[in-house]
Amino acid sequence: MTQVSDRLASLSPSETLAMSQKSNELKAQGIDVINLSVGEPDFYTPDHIKEAAKKAIDDNFSFYSPVPGYMDLRKAIVAKLKNENGLDYTTDQIIVSNGAKQSVCNALLSIIGPGDEVIVPAPYWVSYVEMVKLAEGTNVVISAGIDQDFKITPAQLEAAITPKTKALILCSPSNPTGSVYSREELKGLAEVLAKHENIIVLADEIYEHINYIGAHQSIAQFPEIKDRVVVINGVSKAYAMTGWRIGFIAAPLWIAKACNKLQGQYTSGASSIAQKAAVAAFSGDQTCVEKMRKAFLRRRDLVIDLCKDIPGIKMNVPQGAFYVFPEVSSYYGKSAGDRKITNAADLAMYLLEVGHVATVGGAAFGAPECLRFSYATSDENLQEAIKRIKKALAELK
């Protein structure tokens, strides 16, 4: 008997993790692969955060943590939201989880059931649509192409809403595109949402601090919808703490209570040591955040400049995160020897096996005409990777 549940059978594997695994397999064979498929900073966790973790170990924080997180961490998150975002929350509206990924899933599982529709702007992060499936909801995808900077309009949002609409997932700065919604753009969406009182907004703001256009703007700032917004964030990207697995929601109290109940039954509280490290991240010196942001900005500009010399790809200039998302469909139908490129997955595999650069095909993000490159690696790796990509693409005729 090897039959998995219908719930699991409905899910697709993570394409980003799959490409990273294939990259590692080639590396294990001695092939020099440059991995641009992973979505994590290449920096080390700042020293003052690591010191806080060491102290937590010495202070014997080795027992189960409270399900919603330690009180000092929740207080630090409340202070961060007030000081950086101008948002007022109480500690009982904060739920700390095992990464922002669990935070998103907690929220969806807490509010979505069979027949509920969730609006997901595309391009989207690969896991959103799979989490909606897990919650037995229905994905309603709104496509926003490169010509509109991969951002949906208020008119598109209004057209997608039905009596069954229960939630909207909004990611800004965006994975995979790096697009950032301005305050005015968010205001336009908020005005639509204000007319539909039953819609919850899941605002994924994990890339908040990797922003190249000024202060981060949260859709939770608009009072007419704030009591229906779940802000999702964490320490992974801004503080180079992907492996520490700390994320959080700031939510209406009823949703926070629901997520607390859910989490209490299937993971309980997040790592005690990682939580103490996260307190230091949110409360300590923020110089490290700006240093990393400047490095990512330099790398973005480097990649954009290098890619200008590659014919047949169309690029916008991402305003945040650490990805570029070029439109590459001009290469579909071309061949190199006995290899024919019919879609983004073929092209990504071609670049991996021939160019020895790992990327991710856009179909996994709801944009089959695109590829995602991460520039969260060294300048030297980026220069060599783009050189290899350019050479491999030139061989397609």
Side-chain angles (χ1 to χ4, degrees):
M1 182 67 177
T2 58
Q3 183 68 39
V4 300
S5 68
D6 291 343
R7 180 181 300 104
L8 186 61
S10 72
L11 302 184
S12 301
S14 170
E15 188 65 25
T16 54
L17 297 180
M19 286 302 292
S20 185
Q21 180 179 337
K22 290 172 185 175
S23 170
N24 291 334
E25 289 171 357
L26 289 179
K27 286 182 179 180
Q29 297 171 25
I31 298 172
D32 176 26
V33 174
I34 299 175
N35 192 349
L36 304 186
S37 70
V38 291
E40 67 177 343
D42 60 320
F43 299 103
Y44 294 123
T45 301
D47 287 342
H48 72 282
I49 298 173
K50 292 189 287 187
E51 289 302 320
K54 294 172 187 177
K55 184 176 186 302
I57 294 172
D58 290 338
D59 289 345
N60 295 308
F61 280 91
S62 54
F63 301 95
Y64 290 131
S65 65
V67 171
Y70 285 126
M71 182 57 72
D72 59 347
L73 176 53
R74 286 185 282 151
K75 286 181 177 179
I77 292 169
V78 166
K80 170 260 183 293
L81 291 166
K82 177 63 176 179
N83 297 334
E84 293 186 351
N85 308 106
L87 300 174
D88 291 313
Y89 289 94
T90 59
T91 54
D92 55 358
Q93 292 179 277
I94 309 299
I95 305 295
V96 176
S97 300
N98 298 279
K101 193 169 193 173
Q102 185 183 16
S103 296
V104 176
C105 199
N106 277 352
L108 284 169
L109 289 173
S110 294
I111 65 172
I112 300 301
D116 291 335
E117 294 179 351
V118 180
I119 295 175
V120 186
Y124 46 70
W125 179 49
V126 293
S127 292
Y128 292 151
V129 292
E130 303 304 324
M131 290 176 180
V132 172
K133 292 179 191 175
L134 188 64
E136 300 184 78
T138 300
N139 287 290
V140 177
V141 175
I142 304 176
S143 294
I146 194 169
D147 292 333
Q148 59 191 81
D149 203 24
F150 300 117
K151 293 184 281 188
I152 64 169
T153 65
Q156 284 181 298
L157 176 59
E158 184 71 71
I161 293 172
T162 77
K164 295 182 179 180
T165 304
K166 189 68 178 289
L168 162 69
I169 303 177
L170 194 68
C171 182
S172 178
S174 166
N175 175 6
T177 68
S179 295
V180 179
Y181 284 85
S182 69
R183 185 184 187 281
E184 286 306 305
E185 288 168 333
L186 291 174
K187 186 174 185 293
L189 299 179
E191 288 172 351
V192 172
L193 294 164
K195 296 183 291 183
H196 302 275
E197 297 181 353
N198 295 322
I199 299 176
I200 307 298
V201 183
L202 274 59
D204 186 346
E205 302 182 1
I206 191 65
Y207 291 92
E208 170 187 359
H209 289 102
I210 308 174
N211 182 326
Y212 313 130
I213 59 172
H216 171 73
Q217 301 293 330
S218 174
I219 198 167
Q221 70 185 281
F222 301 105
E224 60 268 33
I225 64 166
K226 181 178 180 289
D227 64 354
R228 293 188 279 121
V229 176
V230 179
V231 174
I232 297 155
N233 210 325
V235 296
S236 294
K237 314 300 183 181
Y239 301 97
M241 294 175 67
T242 51
W244 297 77
R245 309 314 300 135
I246 295 292
F248 70 83
I249 64 166
L253 185 58
W254 70 273
I255 294 179
K257 288 181 176 180
C259 290
N260 186 42
K261 180 180 180 181
L262 175 66
Q263 185 165 295
Q265 291 293 359
Y266 82 111
T267 63
S268 297
S271 162
S272 57
I273 306 306
Q275 286 193 58
K276 292 301 180 180
V279 173
F282 288 125
S283 304
D285 184 3
Q286 301 297 300
T287 303
C288 57
V289 177
E290 179 62 11
K291 182 179 178 181
M292 287 186 277
R293 189 196 69 83
K294 287 181 177 178
F296 287 129
L297 175 58
R298 185 189 69 249
R299 293 170 179 181
R300 181 204 69 174
D301 292 343
L302 173 64
V303 170
I304 293 293
D305 186 59
L306 292 172
C307 286
K308 287 178 181 176
D309 295 330
I310 303 177
I313 68 172
K314 182 179 180 181
M315 299 184 70
N316 68 330
V317 178
Q319 298 175 321
F322 38 67
Y323 309 103
V324 289
F325 202 61
E327 206 269 12
V328 294
S329 60
S330 66
Y331 288 95
Y332 299 174
K334 295 187 176 183
S335 300
D338 60 353
R339 300 186 69 129
K340 184 172 182 179
I341 307 302
T342 60
N343 53 40
D346 289 346
L347 188 58
M349 191 58 64
Y350 170 76
L351 291 176
L352 176 61
E353 295 179 347
V354 176
H356 298 157
V357 178
T359 63
V360 187
F365 304 102
E369 70 282 4
C370 296
L371 285 179
R372 192 190 77 172
F373 307 166
S374 166
Y375 51 86
T377 187
S378 69
D379 293 30
E380 294 75 20
N381 276 347
L382 292 171
Q383 289 170 332
E384 177 62 22
I386 302 304
K387 178 182 176 182
R388 293 181 187 184
I389 290 171
K390 182 179 180 180
K391 182 176 184 295
L393 292 177
E395 294 172 4
L396 293 170
K397 306 296 181 183

